[in-house]
Amino acid sequence: MMTAAALFVKNGERPSPVSRSQCSPTRQSLSLSEGEEQVDRLQQVELVRTTPMSHWKAGTVQAWLEVVMAMPMYVKACAENVKSGKVLLSLSDEDLELGLGVCSSLHRRKLRLAIEDYRDAEAGRSLSKAADLDHHWVAKAWLNDIGLSQYSQAFQNHLVDGRMLNSLMKRDLEKHLNVSKKFHQVSILLGIELLYQVNFSREALQERRARCETQNIDPVVWTNQRVLKWVRDIDLKEYADNLTNSGVHGAVLVLEPTFNAEAMATALGIPSGKHILRRHLAEEMSTVFHPANSTGIREAERFGTPPGRASSATRAGKEENSGGIKYKAGRLPLGKIGRGFSSKDSDFHDDYGSLQNEDCGDDDPQGRPEQRRLEGYNSLEVTNV
């Protein structure tokens, strides 16, 4: 019987030599070791999901930091300094900065909020629903839904997840996340308000959006894309694309009453001289968005979540606890985001909105209890050219 090597030679081919490295026992040992490490990491991640943090050993802490929190850059320092979940639960902001080398204030906040969530779980409560919203979902899906996908990379870089969304304030958006346009800041904060209304449940939000995909109901949950569809359905399709990447979504239209038909017409780019078109838009908006407040209350009650309030946004109170910062599930009434929209600013595309009398305090919310998320938005203007 002809061997495989002889058959190759007969056909004018020569078998490629097997490299020494492929046969090397050392290489095989390394491959086995890498495989074992991956299996061990998966086992440790499973322990994260099923075991209280206070019971974690060093390997579980490292797997949580690398896989769950998506922070592999801090694993080495963590391995050297944090040997158990009990130690992790006690870390302060200073410990995170000096002991683990977490220089980014937003990264430290992400860790503090997560640790605080696990502290609550130690007391018998389950982890918050916001824990299910990872930074990939926030940066890709959520920002796209509210029509601001242009900020995806900044949110991705800072690993902004669901817990962090609930802590964001306008100074965070401006200083860390490159959101300088005031209307875009308001759009993001009202998007967070909507998440709060559904208790940060992605499933509840998706269920409500599915029901209104083909019906003009429950507009507070409409995505930016659903608003564009509605604009096309009312025969204003030539203006619909102007809302792409505009930050106009259902929560803006429902929760901020000063975003009226005039503001919407300006956002769409309908010329001020086209009075009949603007009147048509106003009539269509009145049938869908004006009854939305009472509808939103009924929906919120049905889903067991607190109803939204016109022109308000969530700002959780906070308290110091073992060097961490805790964001309570409390609501604080806010003043209006704006006192009206006008067409004074001719540079709509470069700056979608203009807010005055802004409070430009420190970037870290720690030490400012009961600070309101949208405090300082005293005048908001929407303009177009």
Side-chain angles (χ1 to χ4, degrees):
M1 181 179 292
M2 186 175 294
T3 64
L7 183 60
F8 274 112
V9 172
K10 182 178 179 181
N11 293 333
E13 302 175 5
R14 292 190 177 276
S16 57
V18 178
S19 67
R20 292 181 181 272
S21 61
Q22 288 177 308
C23 296
S24 169
T26 303
R27 182 178 181 84
Q28 290 178 349
S29 176
L30 286 173
S31 299
L32 182 61
S33 176
E34 291 172 357
E36 289 175 344
E37 287 180 2
Q38 290 178 355
V39 170
D40 180 65
R41 188 177 295 108
L42 290 175
Q43 292 174 342
Q44 297 296 343
V45 170
E46 185 61 27
L47 286 175
V48 168
R49 298 191 178 100
T50 59
T51 309
M53 181 177 276
S54 60
H55 295 173
W56 294 0
K57 295 184 178 180
T60 309
V61 172
Q62 294 160 30
W64 172 77
L65 189 61
E66 178 180 0
V67 180
V68 178
M69 300 301 289
M71 293 178 158
M73 68 287 280
Y74 305 121
V75 169
K76 182 179 179 181
C78 180
E80 295 172 354
N81 295 283
V82 182
K83 301 298 183 180
S84 71
K86 288 182 180 178
V87 173
L88 184 60
L89 283 169
S90 69
L91 292 182
S92 66
D93 190 76
E94 185 179 11
D95 293 330
L96 293 173
E97 183 173 9
L98 301 181
L100 298 187
V102 185
C103 297
S104 166
S105 62
L106 290 189
H107 284 189
R108 290 199 304 275
R109 189 190 304 181
K110 175 173 179 169
L111 287 168
R112 295 199 314 269
L113 292 171
I115 291 170
E116 189 60 47
D117 203 3
Y118 279 92
R119 283 199 193 108
D120 288 344
E122 294 279 328
R125 294 184 290 272
S126 60
L127 290 176
S128 65
K129 279 286 187 179
D132 297 331
L133 309 180
D134 63 28
H135 73 279
H136 295 295
W137 180 84
V138 170
K140 300 298 182 182
W142 183 74
L143 282 175
N144 182 64
D145 286 345
I146 65 172
L148 292 174
S149 58
Q150 61 267 42
Y151 300 110
S152 177
Q153 191 59 56
F155 275 68
Q156 186 90 9
N157 291 344
H158 287 282
L159 306 176
V160 177
D161 60 8
R163 294 188 190 99
M164 287 187 68
L165 279 181
N166 197 32
S167 77
L168 289 181
M169 301 180 71
K170 57 190 177 68
R171 60 180 50 81
D172 299 319
L173 299 174
E174 190 165 59
K175 183 170 184 178
H176 299 294
L177 298 169
N178 303 326
V179 186
S180 58
K181 297 179 181 180
K182 304 307 182 289
F183 182 82
H184 290 181
Q185 295 173 11
V186 170
S187 172
I188 289 171
L189 296 176
L190 287 175
I192 297 170
E193 164 72 357
L194 174 61
L195 286 175
Y196 183 89
Q197 287 189 22
V198 298
N199 195 28
F200 287 85
S201 171
R202 181 166 38 189
E203 294 75 17
L205 186 60
Q206 289 173 341
E207 180 184 338
R208 288 175 62 176
R209 283 175 172 168
R211 291 204 310 272
C212 64
E213 190 59 36
T214 57
Q215 302 180 71
N216 292 333
I217 59 174
D218 201 9
V220 71
V221 301
W222 286 11
T223 64
N224 173 256
Q225 295 76 30
R226 179 64 179 86
V227 173
L228 264 68
K229 179 181 181 299
W230 173 78
V231 171
R232 295 186 183 101
D233 288 345
I234 62 171
D235 296 315
L236 293 175
K237 57 182 179 294
E238 63 269 34
Y239 300 103
D241 288 343
N242 289 334
L243 292 186
T244 302
N245 293 331
S246 67
V248 176
H249 53 91
V252 171
L253 289 162
V254 174
L255 299 180
E256 180 41 62
T258 63
F259 193 91
N260 52 23
E262 180 185 352
M264 185 64 163
T266 302
L268 285 167
I270 300 176
S272 58
K274 290 188 175 290
H275 303 295
I276 297 177
L277 281 184
R278 286 180 169 242
R279 189 186 313 152
H280 166 68
L281 174 64
E283 291 172 352
E284 294 292 339
M285 286 183 68
S286 69
T287 63
V288 176
F289 300 108
H290 287 183
N293 284 334
S294 58
T295 302
I297 292 173
R298 291 195 298 272
E299 288 289 339
E301 290 173 345
R302 176 185 172 190
F303 283 90
T305 54
R309 181 181 305 180
S311 192
S312 70
T314 305
R315 177 64 180 103
K318 51 190 181 299
E319 64 183 14
E320 296 298 328
N321 188 347
S322 301
I325 183 168
K326 180 178 181 179
Y327 288 82
K328 296 179 180 178
R331 294 176 63 81
L332 295 174
L334 302 184
K336 289 183 178 180
I337 297 172
R339 293 174 180 165
F341 297 84
S342 68
S343 55
K344 296 177 182 178
D345 187 351
S346 62
D347 198 1
F348 174 89
H349 291 293
D350 289 340
D351 191 352
Y352 190 68
S354 174
L355 297 100
Q356 300 168 359
N357 301 327
E358 245 189 299
D359 175 20
C360 298
D362 58 346
D363 62 293
D364 194 332
Q366 188 169 353
R368 291 179 291 108
E370 308 301 316
Q371 179 80 13
R372 294 177 297 178
R373 195 196 296 276
L374 288 170
E375 187 178 68
Y377 286 106
N378 294 325
S379 176
L380 178 61
E381 298 178 357
V382 174
T383 56
N384 205 332
V385 290

